[in-house]
Amino acid sequence: MIKGSATLEGTLNYAQKYPLLVYQPLVPTGIRISGAGFGCYRVDVRVKEHQQALTKALLSGINLIDTSANYADGGSERLVGKVLCDLITANKIKREEFVIVSKVGYLQGENYSLSQERKSEGQPFKDLVLYDKGLEHCIHPEFLAEQLTRSLDRLGIETVDCYLLHNPEYYLNWAKQAQVPKIDARAEYLRRIRIAFLHLEEEVAAGRIQYYGLSSNTFPRPASHFDFTSLADIWDIAQSISPQHHFRVIQFPLNLLETAGVTEKNQPGGKSLVEFAVDKGLGILTNRPLNAIREERLIRLSENVYQGEANRQANEFKSKVAMLDPGWINIPALSQLALRALRSTAGITAVLMGMRQEVYVEDVLHELRQPCEVVERKKTWKHISEL
């Protein structure tokens, strides 16, 4: 078991080793993180190439790791644990230099089997969302406690730096299908989040996590949508628990085709999600930088995956976007432009990038080493949304 957690001193010392990279506080005056994090969605401890990629990232200036209990059915967390243990044992890194984020909520694979066993014994998890065959969801404190124990064991650490509720809006999706009235569904949704937050404060006090937060694909949705997750409501819950609460981080999709996190005015006072989060001092982690979902279709923001007419269209889109902002001109690849757009926008703390191969890690590092001005860019994102 690796002792300790990320610290301000440790992350500042790490940052000093890589002067060409920019590190920002995850929380005000707190631990520092690299502009891009190693996203662990499709990595597994059984794949040597993934181990090599994570090792390269951690030894090259990337000190943020984002994983989840359900990624590769636990294999993603095991990968992080193995690489950390190997590098710390070899005295190449220190635990206090790295920020580890994990998430909880999904019951798939091993967790789904566990859920079925408990049901057969007459002890199902409480507040369980029966979403689909082979897929359930839960954020009840009993489940959170059990899952955090398993995550810490797979990661081989005593403290997760940030623990996120993973897409709790699955309850709202279920409620809509079940024809629960919207007002009732919203009240129940917030009740479930509140008792989850109360439990996570206990986990902070116990030293098993430093901070907690929420990862939701529906943070950027219009407020009128049934499955909209209101950051203002979530913030009010945290404030009602304690002014010294540890709700400090949000995560959501933001990319050149999914711009709503910046452009949709879905928070009080006509503010966007990013504006509201910045006002409250929340750390903002964005995901899906290269994998946009539009009209239920996955669109890759990289011209390298397209041929013929599709390649031409990707390059044309890149040219149109680059012309919208002086800081984005002359960037050679669409994937690099996609990262530049995010990291040059004020308020974005870090971009979670899939880096399953060492060459992907180097591509990300190449962009991170390029200087760029970080400003608001609201008008630019609005123009992008109109392309």
Side-chain angles (χ1 to χ4, degrees):
M1 179 70 68
I2 301 170
K3 303 292 184 181
S5 59
T7 65
L8 176 57
E9 181 181 8
T11 55
L12 284 173
N13 288 340
Y14 182 84
Q16 290 176 357
K17 302 174 188 176
Y18 306 97
L20 294 180
L21 303 184
V22 176
Y23 297 80
Q24 297 195 79
L26 179 62
V27 297
T29 70
I31 51 181
R32 300 302 199 265
I33 59 174
S34 48
F38 191 100
C40 293
Y41 172 51
R42 295 172 62 189
V43 300
D44 194 322
V45 69
R46 294 168 294 185
V47 182
K48 186 175 181 180
E49 186 177 47
H50 297 167
Q51 296 182 36
Q52 294 169 336
L54 180 56
T55 298
K56 179 177 179 63
L58 301 188
L59 295 178
S60 303
I62 293 173
N63 77 328
L64 171 65
I65 307 169
D66 176 87
T67 184
S68 181
N70 72 305
Y71 291 169
D73 200 15
S76 174
E77 288 184 327
R78 292 186 181 94
L79 168 73
V80 175
K82 174 173 172 43
V83 172
L84 283 175
C85 181
D86 289 348
L87 293 178
I88 290 173
T89 301
N91 292 318
K92 293 183 177 181
I93 64 172
K94 298 177 181 178
R95 170 65 183 95
E96 57 265 29
E97 298 174 327
F98 295 89
V99 177
I100 301 171
V101 178
S102 195
K103 301 185 283 293
V104 60
Y106 283 86
L107 291 90
Q108 295 172 291
E110 182 180 309
N111 275 338
Y112 185 79
S113 297
L114 173 64
S115 177
Q116 306 322 299
E117 290 175 12
R118 288 179 60 112
K119 289 178 194 176
S120 67
E121 296 167 356
Q123 296 180 327
F125 287 115
K126 298 176 182 178
D127 291 345
L128 191 65
V129 177
L130 307 176
Y131 195 77
D132 203 352
K133 184 176 181 180
L135 172 60
E136 298 172 344
H137 199 279
C138 186
I139 58 169
H140 188 273
E142 181 185 16
F143 181 70
L144 299 183
E146 194 270 351
Q147 288 295 291
L148 179 55
T149 297
R150 289 173 180 255
S151 286
L152 290 171
D153 181 63
R154 287 190 290 261
L155 290 163
I157 58 177
E158 66 175 7
T159 305
V160 170
D161 299 302
C162 188
Y163 202 47
L164 306 181
L165 302 182
H166 199 178
N167 294 341
E169 67 270 16
Y170 265 70
Y171 166 75
L172 292 176
N173 295 332
W174 171 86
K176 184 177 182 179
Q177 294 175 9
Q179 298 184 330
V180 176
K182 183 178 177 181
I183 189 171
D184 295 338
R186 189 64 56 85
E188 174 62 12
Y189 184 46
L190 297 179
R191 182 197 71 82
R192 293 183 180 208
I193 290 174
R194 178 179 174 79
I195 64 172
F197 278 14
L198 286 167
H199 173 75
L200 292 173
E201 288 291 343
E202 294 178 1
E203 296 288 11
V204 172
R208 299 214 298 172
I209 61 176
Q210 281 206 72
Y211 306 104
Y212 61 89
L214 200 150
S215 176
S216 174
N217 290 338
T218 66
F219 267 140
R221 293 276 171 85
S224 60
H225 280 213
F226 196 100
D227 65 352
F228 169 59
T229 297
S230 168
L231 179 56
D233 287 345
I234 305 302
W235 177 259
D236 287 345
I237 288 172
Q239 287 287 98
S240 71
I241 291 173
S242 169
Q244 287 75 46
H245 63 80
H246 295 81
F247 170 60
R248 300 312 317 166
V249 177
I250 63 170
Q251 184 179 141
F252 58 91
L254 182 64
N255 55 60
L256 295 176
L257 291 177
E258 295 176 282
T259 65
V262 178
T263 59
E264 182 69 34
K265 307 299 183 181
N266 61 6
Q267 300 300 314
K271 293 180 180 178
S272 70
L273 174 62
V274 167
E275 288 173 319
F276 188 89
V278 169
D279 285 350
K280 301 306 181 185
L282 295 171
I284 298 176
L285 307 180
T286 65
N287 57 37
R288 295 213 304 253
L290 305 182
N291 294 309
I293 296 179
R294 175 174 281 187
E295 297 177 353
E296 300 184 358
R297 290 196 311 121
L298 175 65
I299 303 175
R300 288 277 291 155
L301 290 168
S302 174
E303 64 269 46
N304 294 333
V305 300
Y306 299 111
Q307 296 180 346
E309 176 61 16
N311 180 267
R312 186 197 67 77
Q313 291 178 358
N315 277 288
E316 181 180 353
F317 175 73
K318 171 187 166 295
S319 297
K320 288 180 179 179
V321 172
M323 292 299 293
L324 295 175
D325 197 292
W328 301 351
I329 297 173
N330 298 324
I331 297 176
L334 176 56
S335 59
Q336 290 175 318
L337 175 59
L339 176 53
R340 176 73 61 89
L342 292 167
R343 76 183 192 93
S344 65
T345 297
I348 307 303
T349 315
V351 183
L352 301 173
M353 302 289 296
M355 294 181 257
R356 300 184 305 281
Q357 299 177 23
E358 289 183 90
V359 64
Y360 297 162
V361 175
E362 190 51 53
D363 285 346
V364 171
L365 288 168
H366 176 78
E367 169 55 31
L368 293 181
R369 294 181 187 121
Q370 308 306 309
C372 73
E373 183 182 17
V374 179
V375 294
E376 209 170 51
R377 302 186 195 277
K378 287 191 293 186
K379 290 184 179 179
T380 302
W381 281 95
K382 179 63 175 176
H383 291 322
I384 294 172
S385 70
E386 296 168 349
L387 288 177

